[in-house]
Amino acid sequence: MFNLTLSPAQTEYIVKPGGNIVHSLTVTNNSNQNLVLTTSVRPWVPGTAEGAIDYRHAIPDPNIIFYLSNPDLKLGQAFNLPAYSKKQLVINAAVSQKSDQKDAYFTFFVSQDISTLDPNRTSQSLAEIGAHLLLAISHTQELPSQAQIGEFQIRPIIKDSLLTPIVFQAKIQNRSDHYFRSQGKITLTKNKKIIQTLDLFPETVLAHQQRSIRCHQPSLPAQSSPQPQTCRLSPPLWPGIYTATLALDSSLNGSSAAITFAVLPFSVFIPLLLAALAIIFTPRFLTRRRRLSP
């Protein structure tokens, strides 16, 4: 059974044209059988605003060369990884002096060697695991960022103070030439008083791309919630007028966005309305029924 872990899952570097990076990864065989594996590096380009990536349309950059510096292993060479063991892989990326100052995105793959599989199997699909490597090629370590908030909205349009969760949606647009992390927060206020805040999960927003926001769990500190979730607030909320402000970290050089909305106790009004209608029409119905009786 193919059961591997590869860590770290994503690493980001700033490298100058003509420079190189040395990156260590650890591959662990969590299965109870020996595996024969190979390594490779493939470029990719951004896909969707939800973080999908595209390998099919990526063009290899001849100005960036990858190789392994393990003394016993070359890139693409098969190696054996015994059951419940791990191996450190040290990958180098050499960037040519001719490289433009831009971002380059790659995935380092550890794959099962197909040649070792049973030739009688009907399926010889490739099992693999990858770790992303983001390179910002720049002459300076200080990467300028320019962010913009797009499509900041909430749903549903009609908000019940007792029953309806409030879901915030927005896209962080990267107007600069290098990736950044979407740091910031959503602040909910009523009568200029802060009711609650939601910290944005630090999504990687690639150069000249956009990324949908997600948040840390509001009930936990940011550092104790590694998994992102939808930016939402659960009821109950007191009826009234609220303002939600999405503000990015100052390092991203982006303006804030705000939405004003009303919260009404519909779940309270509806039962009261039904009760009132019952009080008004039930006596009339009974009176009419008695008149029609023989």
Side-chain angles (χ1 to χ4, degrees):
M1 178 182 295
F2 186 87
N3 185 0
L4 295 181
T5 54
L6 184 61
S7 61
Q10 178 172 303
T11 311
E12 302 156 4
Y13 287 98
I14 301 174
V15 56
K16 293 181 179 180
N20 71 287
I21 60 103
V22 179
H23 179 55
S24 296
L25 300 102
T26 300
V27 57
T28 304
N29 183 356
N30 303 301
S31 68
N32 59 1
Q33 62 181 10
N34 296 341
L35 294 175
V36 179
L37 306 170
T38 61
T39 58
S40 62
V41 177
R42 297 207 298 269
W44 52 269
V45 292
T48 66
E50 280 63 49
I53 58 180
D54 180 5
Y55 292 101
R56 292 183 303 169
H57 298 94
I59 300 174
D61 188 342
N63 293 315
I64 304 176
I65 305 299
F66 288 93
Y67 59 94
L68 289 179
S69 59
N70 293 62
D72 59 339
L73 190 63
K74 295 181 179 180
L75 192 66
Q77 178 184 348
F79 66 97
N80 183 64
L81 189 62
Y84 304 115
S85 68
K86 61 180 61 177
K87 184 177 179 65
Q88 186 180 51
L89 301 172
V90 182
I91 187 169
N92 287 253
V95 180
S96 169
Q97 287 277 10
K98 300 178 181 179
S99 294
D100 297 329
Q101 295 190 67
K102 61 178 183 178
D103 283 359
Y105 311 125
F106 302 90
T107 302
F108 178 83
F109 283 103
V110 176
S111 311
Q112 190 169 14
D113 187 2
I114 294 182
S115 65
T116 64
L117 301 179
D118 185 355
N120 295 321
R121 287 178 47 172
T122 57
S123 174
Q124 297 288 326
S125 59
L126 180 66
E128 60 186 7
I129 187 171
H132 298 317
L133 190 61
L134 280 59
L135 302 182
I137 303 171
S138 172
H139 285 293
T140 175
Q141 291 292 311
E142 298 295 330
L143 301 179
S145 298
Q146 183 63 58
Q148 182 174 327
I149 299 171
E151 303 178 24
F152 184 41
Q153 56 187 343
I154 56 176
R155 61 177 177 86
I157 298 176
I158 300 176
K159 293 141 200 81
D160 190 297
S161 60
L162 297 179
L163 300 178
T164 309
I166 298 174
V167 178
F168 300 95
Q169 296 175 318
K171 287 183 170 61
I172 307 300
Q173 300 171 353
N174 185 347
R175 301 294 187 182
S176 51
D177 294 330
H178 298 287
Y179 62 81
F180 59 67
R181 293 296 186 109
S182 56
Q183 302 178 72
K185 64 176 56 181
I186 298 172
T187 304
L188 185 68
T189 59
K190 183 175 184 285
N191 298 327
K192 297 183 179 181
K193 180 181 179 181
I194 296 177
I195 305 300
Q196 192 169 354
T197 60
L198 295 173
D199 291 317
L200 297 186
F201 189 85
E203 307 276 12
T204 301
V205 188
L206 302 178
H208 301 289
Q209 301 295 317
Q210 61 182 3
R211 191 77 183 268
S212 299
I213 63 168
R214 291 187 293 177
C215 289
H216 290 284
Q217 295 181 18
S219 59
L220 296 174
Q223 62 271 20
S224 64
S225 177
Q227 297 299 321
Q229 68 169 19
T230 302
C231 298
R232 60 182 290 167
L233 292 174
S234 299
L237 290 173
W238 286 104
I241 304 299
Y242 290 82
T243 298
T245 303
L246 173 56
L248 301 178
D249 188 84
S250 59
S251 63
L252 300 181
N253 298 309
S255 58
S256 61
I259 299 176
T260 299
F261 60 94
V263 174
L264 300 174
F266 292 104
S267 56
V268 176
F269 290 156
I270 293 176
L272 291 177
L273 178 61
L274 294 176
L277 293 175
I279 293 173
I280 294 172
F281 289 104
T282 299
R284 295 181 181 181
F285 174 77
L286 294 176
T287 301
R288 181 182 179 187
R289 185 173 181 181
R290 284 194 295 268
R291 290 176 180 176
L292 295 176
S293 298

